Amino acid sequence: MRVFNTLSGQKEDFLPGGDVVGIYVCGVTPYDESHLGHAMSYILFDVFRRYLECRGYRVRHVQNFTDIDDKIISRANLLSISPRELADRYIASYFQAMDALHIRRAHIYPKATEEIPHILDIVRGLVDKGFAYQAGGDVYFRVRRFPAYGRLSKRSVDAMRSGGEEGGKEDALDFALWKGAKPGEPAWESPWGPGRPGWHIECSAMCLHHIGETLDIHGGGQDLVFPHHENEIAQSEAYTGKTFVRYWLHNGMLQIGQEKMSKSLGNLLTVPEAVGRYTPDALRLFV
């Protein structure tokens, strides 16, 4: 069996590291209904997992929910409900939608808010090793301290530009591991004051906690290659000193005209709408 590894940019023989194939697939940020673009990704990884099991592999499949995020907080404030209530509402909707498409459930669905102790352990370890630093109530990862940064996305660090706020960063490219609390936002205690995890750190914590230091497969959409998966590699390997993932698998984006289907662009067809028009098996076959 061969797979296309984004890291090497070529097809490679699939050789798992042990008796159980550890697969981590990036999940949704539950602030709205899941759309057909989400469904396409999870159908593909569902078929991939089923094929592995058909071939006799034992699989441990983990998929997260980013249940605390700027978009969740903003949407919850708009609806005058708590971020937890909003996230729980759309997590339930996600399961209903994916079950309707006969997508086999992952073995575990960790949530960012339930992984705080593991997240804090990693951030603390990165600070102790000099890969991260505190700036006010925030903690940032030193991108230039990790020489291999950019190898997944095939980018040069010197050619990169930061798209985020600089704040108290030492370097514009550094990314947040921990965000200091803002008034009215959910927060957890930490050695750097109350706050919440940055987007990328939750996935590293979940992978290490639920699968181990080295994954066989990490999956997701092509839009996650940079910066999300690039940052995952940097923080994970800086923390453990070991290879984070053997095979990086990425699906393409579902296109509507010349743009990808996404919640942020608003050009989406939700799964309930799609299932109402077509049968689940027709949608799977289409994908």
Side-chain angles (χ1 to χ4, degrees), residues 30-178:
Y31 71 95
D32 205 342
E33 295 286 355
S34 297
H35 58 69
L36 207 53
H38 295 138
M40 183 188 75
S41 179
Y42 301 127
I43 288 171
L44 290 170
F45 283 105
D46 177 57
V47 171
F48 183 72
R49 171 189 162 181
R50 287 172 183 267
Y51 181 70
L52 288 176
E53 292 172 339
C54 180
R55 289 285 299 268
Y57 291 101
R58 287 192 296 147
V59 175
R60 181 167 176 79
H61 177 194
V62 179
Q63 184 174 309
N64 73 310
F65 286 113
T66 301
D67 65 338
I68 188 67
D69 170 90
D70 288 340
K71 293 176 182 177
I72 291 176
I73 294 170
S74 177
R75 184 76 183 275
N77 289 338
L78 190 66
L79 298 176
S80 299
I81 60 176
S82 70
R84 176 179 292 275
E85 183 179 348
L86 181 81
D88 286 347
R89 175 189 299 178
Y90 287 116
I91 287 173
S93 175
Y94 169 86
F95 282 127
Q96 186 176 16
M98 299 305 142
D99 287 349
L101 292 170
H102 310 316
I103 292 172
R104 188 173 294 177
R105 292 198 179 191
H107 295 106
I108 186 166
Y109 287 92
K111 300 175 182 176
T113 58
E114 296 174 351
E115 300 288 324
I116 300 298
H118 305 291
I119 289 170
L120 292 175
D121 285 345
I122 296 176
V123 177
R124 191 181 296 110
L126 290 170
V127 171
D128 291 344
K129 292 183 176 186
F131 283 100
Y133 60 93
Q134 181 178 1
D138 303 324
V139 180
Y140 293 101
F141 185 90
R142 290 186 171 101
V143 165
R144 295 183 190 274
R145 279 291 304 273
F146 188 73
Y149 193 84
R151 66 183 177 183
L152 181 70
S153 57
K154 313 297 187 290
R155 300 182 183 212
S156 163
V157 171
D158 292 332
M160 292 180 187
R161 293 184 179 180
S162 172
E165 297 178 4
E166 300 222 3
K169 295 181 185 181
E170 294 176 354
D171 189 303
L173 296 179
D174 296 346
F175 60 88
L177 300 171
W178 187 260

Side-chain angles (χ1 to χ4, degrees), residues 6 26 143 146 148-164 169 172-175 199-200 218 220-234 248 250 253 260:
T6 306
C26 283
V143 165
F146 188 73
Y149 193 84
R151 66 183 177 183
L152 181 70
S153 57
K154 313 297 187 290
R155 300 182 183 212
S156 163
V157 171
D158 292 332
M160 292 180 187
R161 293 184 179 180
S162 172
K169 295 181 185 181
L173 296 179
D174 296 346
F175 60 88
W199 174 31
H200 316 292
H218 194 315
Q222 287 177 342
D223 56 338
L224 298 179
V225 172
F226 186 87
H228 185 49
H229 290 165
E230 195 75 69
N231 291 351
E232 276 191 64
I233 292 174
W248 285 93
H250 292 94
M253 299 292 97
K260 72 172 184 176

